[in-house]
Amino acid sequence: MRRSIRIQAEAFDPLEVAGDLHRDNPGVGAVVSFLGLMRDLNQGRRVLSMTLEHYPGMAEKALRRIVEEAAERWPLQAVSVVHRVGELRPQDPIVLVMVASSHRGDAFRACEFIIDFLKTRAPFWKKEQTEQGEHWVEARSNDLASELRWRARDDR
Amino acid sequence: MIKIRYFARLREHLGTADEQMALTPEIRDLAALTEQLRRRGGVWSEAFGGEQSVMMAVNEEVADAAQPLRDGDEVAYFPPVTGG
């Protein structure tokens, strides 16, 4: 399986990532992606900018492990994960998970699995700058629920 | 020696990103290390007093309180993650 994990401060082009994923790989029949963007409104507050911190080393390792777990569950041809760090503005892409497989079902499920586990296991933290000042974003209990759901499922 | 790293809100609250600490026989596991940090008082007892959820890692792997510590380990404390 082709795999690419990137953590970077620079912006990225999702179409370029897509091209790299299935180029010269005629076994790929489906590409499914999740693109997370920065919103300008969170819990009723207008967000001007965001700073993303991560634990270098551990973040890459955690993402690699999540991708390996997905590859054990479903037959995948390629996976690419790109996560930005540093300063972000509304509408900036934050994260891209792109999965290529022979058939769409495996790609859809693996893509959701990877983003769900990324949200609860990969060491990244968001801090928002709003008109009322700045604050760290709180972890959401429904993100944990999304991860736990996979433990009960066996729709590989 | 062990290295201890702090991230995000915890790093700001404690006013430190990392420190080195001699590994004494009392610090046999993460639970003992956390208790030692909490006893520093002030912001340390606030951070490790149990009010706020704190995650731990040893050598870049998530770990629980029972995780034994060895010389040269890198320990990290951080809030629940919010990436993606």
Side-chain angles (χ1 to χ4, degrees):
Chain A
M1 186 188 71
R2 210 178 279 183
R3 47 177 80 67
S4 161
I5 309 277
R6 278 157 53 192
I7 296 172
Q8 59 187 53
E10 305 75 39
F12 58 84
D13 176 3
L15 291 178
E16 205 171 289
V17 177
D20 291 343
L21 205 64
H22 59 80
R23 183 174 303 123
D24 304 325
N25 190 351
V28 172
V31 174
V32 170
S33 64
F34 170 81
L35 179 64
L37 302 170
M38 189 190 151
R39 273 175 289 128
D40 67 351
L41 199 66
N42 192 20
Q43 298 180 320
R45 280 183 287 213
R46 189 145 302 278
V47 185
L48 308 172
S49 62
M50 179 184 273
T51 310
L52 256 154
E53 178 173 333
H54 75 303
Y55 181 174
M58 180 172 174
E60 288 85 351
K61 206 185 262 191
L63 292 178
R64 268 200 303 274
R65 176 157 308 167
I66 295 164
V67 168
E68 293 313 315
E69 280 180 38
E72 282 167 22
R73 283 189 176 225
W74 299 281
L76 306 177
Q77 300 276 349
V79 177
S80 191
V81 179
V82 189
H83 203 302
R84 285 189 68 190
V85 292
E87 302 299 320
L88 294 169
R89 300 271 163 194
Q91 298 191 296
D92 279 350
I94 303 172
V95 63
L96 175 68
V97 176
M98 204 170 263
V99 178
S101 186
S102 301
H103 304 285
R104 72 182 184 284
D106 296 328
F108 268 116
R109 281 184 275 278
C111 185
E112 192 177 17
F113 175 92
I114 292 168
I115 188 62
D116 282 352
F117 277 79
L118 183 155
K119 287 256 177 194
T120 53
R121 292 203 187 168
F124 293 90
W125 302 273
K126 291 184 182 125
K127 185 192 231 181
E128 290 177 344
Q129 287 83 38
T130 72
E131 284 162 349
Q132 290 83 34
E134 59 174 24
H135 63 270
W136 291 98
V137 173
E138 296 290 333
R140 293 155 59 102
S141 57
N142 62 348
D143 283 338
L144 192 59
S146 296
E147 185 210 295
L148 291 173
R149 186 168 61 98
W150 289 102
R151 297 182 202 276
R153 283 168 73 163
D154 57 1
D155 55 346
R156 38 190 79 213
Chain B
M1 297 291 276
I2 55 169
K3 183 178 186 181
I4 313 175
R5 304 181 67 172
Y6 308 97
F7 288 94
R9 181 172 47 215
L10 208 57
R11 171 177 50 76
E12 287 188 350
H13 189 186
L14 298 172
T16 181
D18 57 78
E19 62 179 301
Q20 304 275 340
M21 188 186 277
L23 194 63
T24 59
E26 302 86 72
I27 310 175
R28 61 200 174 281
D29 56 22
L30 266 183
L33 175 64
T34 308
E35 176 57 17
Q36 180 137 329
L37 295 173
R38 193 188 63 77
R39 284 206 200 126
R40 288 172 171 176
V43 290
W44 297 87
S45 44
E46 286 167 21
F48 296 104
E51 290 279 304
Q52 287 187 336
S53 184
V54 176
M55 292 177 72
M56 301 174 290
V58 175
N59 301 328
E60 301 181 347
E61 303 278 353
V62 169
D64 60 24
Q67 170 84 29
L69 293 177
R70 288 178 193 85
D71 209 36
D73 279 349
E74 177 173 297
V75 176
Y77 289 97
F78 47 83
V81 302
T82 56

